[in-house]
Amino acid sequence: MAFTKEFVIGPEQVRAFADLVGDHNPVHLDADFARTTKYGGPICHGMLVASYVSGCLVEALGPGTIYVEQQLRFRRPVPVGSLIRVCLGEPELGAKGQSQLSTVIEMQQGDLWKKVLEGQATVGLELLDQLGGA
């Protein structure tokens, strides 16, 4: 992978995301309820996990990077409190000045990293002055 970055997704991030998008499913927020599910405890919102790709794209490719499209496949749930790693592949130039690159998120389990999300992003690299930047 061309770029990797690690994050811990704790209960504070899960609560803030739930409040932001209005998804208060108890499997994410209520430990007592979540223990009764097949997950055995609270899990992160899938889109919260996926959203970590966005900032990594800008960090990896630079200011002015515009997210155009994202294809995702969720492979397994991420328990709240997990360490995840965002992995971005090398961009490949496509049509209309856009680039495609692989997007993978892994979760640490012991000494192993398990894939929790995989997909492909399409981005455009715009000039900063077109966005009102310096």
Side-chain angles (χ1 to χ4, degrees), residues 52-94:
Y52 282 86
V53 171
S54 182
C56 289
L57 286 169
V58 174
E59 189 172 335
L61 301 176
T65 300
I66 304 297
Y67 224 153
V68 176
E69 184 176 336
Q70 177 71 56
Q71 175 268 325
L72 294 173
R73 179 167 183 235
F74 298 98
R75 299 182 57 90
R76 61 178 41 92
V78 176
V80 174
S82 293
L83 175 65
I84 64 166
R85 175 170 64 190
V86 177
C87 307
L88 304 177
E90 285 289 338
E92 296 179 15
L93 188 59

Side-chain angles (χ1 to χ4, degrees), residues 4-132:
T4 62
K5 187 170 183 177
E6 296 178 2
F7 302 89
V8 173
I9 307 178
E12 303 82 15
Q13 288 82 17
V14 173
R15 169 61 66 185
F17 185 83
D19 290 343
L20 181 66
V21 302
D23 179 352
H24 294 95
N25 185 332
V27 75
H28 305 301
L29 302 168
D30 182 334
D32 291 333
F33 174 85
R35 274 193 292 279
T36 69
T37 70
K38 66 181 179 180
Y39 307 114
I43 59 171
C44 300
H45 300 77
M47 291 308 293
L48 169 59
V49 175
S51 70
Y52 282 86
V53 171
S54 182
C56 289
L57 286 169
V58 174
E59 189 172 335
L61 301 176
T65 300
I66 304 297
Y67 224 153
V68 176
E69 184 176 336
Q70 177 71 56
Q71 175 268 325
L72 294 173
R73 179 167 183 235
F74 298 98
R75 299 182 57 90
R76 61 178 41 92
V78 176
V80 174
S82 293
L83 175 65
I84 64 166
R85 175 170 64 190
V86 177
C87 307
L88 304 177
E90 285 289 338
E92 296 179 15
L93 188 59
K96 301 178 186 174
Q98 297 177 346
S99 294
Q100 289 81 39
L101 62 152
S102 66
T103 56
V104 173
I105 298 181
E106 301 169 323
M107 170 180 64
Q108 188 175 37
Q109 288 189 324
D111 293 337
L112 302 175
W113 288 90
K114 301 242 178 155
K115 201 177 284 187
V116 298
L117 178 151
E118 62 185 333
Q120 182 169 328
T122 301
V123 297
L125 304 174
E126 304 293 331
L127 297 175
L128 284 177
D129 60 354
Q130 291 175 324
L131 300 174

